Amino acid sequence: MNTIISNIAHFLKEHEPFTYLTSDELNSIASNIGIINLEKNKTLFQMEDALHDTFYVVASGVINLTFIADGEEIILNKCYAGDVFGLRPFFAKNNYMMTAKSREDSIVYAIPIAIFKPFVSQNSSILDFLLENFATNTRSSLDQENGTTASDGIYSNKTGEIQYFQSLSYNKTPLKISQKQLAKDVAQLMSDNLIDSAIIVDDNHFPIGIATDTDFRSKIANGRFPLNSEIYKIMSSPVFTVPENISVAEAQLLLLKYNVSHLCVTKDGSDKSSISGIISEHDIVVAQSNNPGVLIKQIKKALTPKELKQVREKLTELVQSSISKNIPIPHIFNITGEINFAIIKRAIEIAILDLGSPPARFCWISIGSQARKEQLLLTDQDSILVFEDVAQEKYRDVKDYFVKLAKRATTILEKTGFYYCPNNHMASNLIWCKSLTEWIKQYDNWMKTPGEKSNEIGSIFFDIEMVIGENKIEDTIVETIISNSKNNTLFFDYLGNNALHKEPSLTFFKKFNVEEEGQHKGKFDIKNKAIMPLVDGARLFALSMQLKGVNNTYLRFKQLAIVDPKFAEIYLNCAESFLILTNFRTLEGLKNDTSGEFINLEELTKIDKEKLKNALLPMKELEN
């Protein structure tokens, strides 16, 4: 039993928020943990269930968090090893507002809230992590007419991960009051200016407190203080100050954390600088009209490519804002991936509205960077279409329908901003739109005799994620890949050689290997010489170790560090490098409205060049 406790404690230590705890504290928690084995598609809790007295950590496998909207099950999040979920009982009294179900055979640790709560109150880093977890794990859950989020988070009204990217608009001309002014005069000023608060300042005009409608009700109206009291006697103090560029989510987190209704905005975020404005709960409500739920609603109601394009342009603006605010890249991957998938799904639905109902069950699968949810910039579209096996006499008509469907959908997506794949890796291509049996044969050929068939293997076909259709069809494709990868030395030799044959990112003398000719002469191809080797390496090792349900390159490396601890340091270094390189590419793309593939090194600072070069170093270890 001691060995089990030690193993659990060691596992937890690798993941936030448990990294903030001592070994003794982790052992104490581990000794009280329940271990739950969930078979595939087993429900841990569902919407409207009474809250459990535990929260959960995924030990292995994948847990889908979903909710129902418009009669459709929508995935809010996918939780992998080390992810924390089911936190609602910490902060709420009402029932669960989402369902947690295993996507595959999984093991989950159940941590008693009563055991863990003392660590939350004693350690602000743990509290901050839990609050951020709530903010960043809410997805498209607002797609309900009442605007209520279906997350296990603490936000009950119109909240979403996209808030994390938005700068908050607030009142930049707040009422500033001397601490000696009478309460009745302040009340009159607030009434005249139609506002519900006033900032109390000292002799240097720095904020020392806030007086709100609540203060007047709780301290004046009930007779505790007379109306002619000096305002400093009834103000709320200390004042909580924030910087000028605070985001919506950050503001809401602080309102919740400090249990206040207003925040004072100052020049440098401290209470010893000039006042720039005031944030109220109402400002948060107004700002939340631009959250993922609203965007998802716009997507679902869209009937034209123009409407879809408008949503995608908003998303580009949010990505740019998030990069400038140093929001972690994994968070940005999450939100762009979900919104992009919603756009693709709607494009397919619009095509179906034009053509009529499909004659057979099908599955539209994104491949490559779309499937990995790594498209922060507008790039090309990559997809395949798999339809169920039908009688031979129906085959031609069925395939004809799905080819037409794919052509309409890809045309809509092109007008939305996703340009056509230059290699024609799209469902609209006859050879990538076929029956399930044909696709199984295709993967069998690719994996058993790689390089020998006319349709040479494309590694992006092994990054797959369903957009719309039958889960069972996708599951069959995944199982075909997993089955064929077992002990398949020839296949991995082929993938490995392809990965190693890419041009090196640095020359023998550790200089950037730039383009020598063409329109990009002198520039560095960050996609093919830096990012893709990491993508290829992560895919190869993930397939060889049969990691299921993990497509994103960053998450693949993180997961590999757990399942292959011997090389954990290399995997983690590669994960960090991938984020740094993605950040460079995204900044380049946003600056020049391009795919960001080619970096103009002359425009980088000396520090950035060094940072870029350092991010390339882990590749050699990965290659070895």
Side-chain angles (χ1 to χ4, degrees), residues 585-599:
R585 181 184 179 184
T586 306
L587 286 172
E588 183 73 19
L590 291 171
K591 181 173 65 177
N592 299 308
D593 194 24
T594 65
S595 65
E597 181 175 336
F598 294 95
I599 301 290

Side-chain angles (χ1 to χ4, degrees), residues 443-507:
Y443 277 99
D444 284 344
N445 290 337
W446 274 338
M447 300 183 74
K448 291 175 180 176
T449 56
E452 295 183 11
K453 300 298 176 181
S454 57
N455 293 330
E456 187 172 299
I457 183 173
S459 56
I460 66 168
F461 288 88
F462 295 90
D463 299 328
I464 65 175
E465 186 80 14
M466 187 184 78
V467 176
I468 186 172
E470 291 289 317
N471 281 303
K472 289 181 180 179
I473 294 177
E474 183 197 26
D475 290 344
T476 302
I477 298 292
V478 171
E479 289 304 321
T480 300
I481 294 172
I482 294 295
S483 175
N484 278 327
S485 67
K486 291 177 181 176
N487 303 315
N488 192 340
T489 305
L490 186 64
F491 171 63
F492 289 113
D493 279 350
Y494 186 90
L495 283 188
N497 279 314
N498 272 359
L500 291 171
H501 284 162
K502 284 187 168 60
E503 279 194 76
S505 54
L506 298 174
T507 66

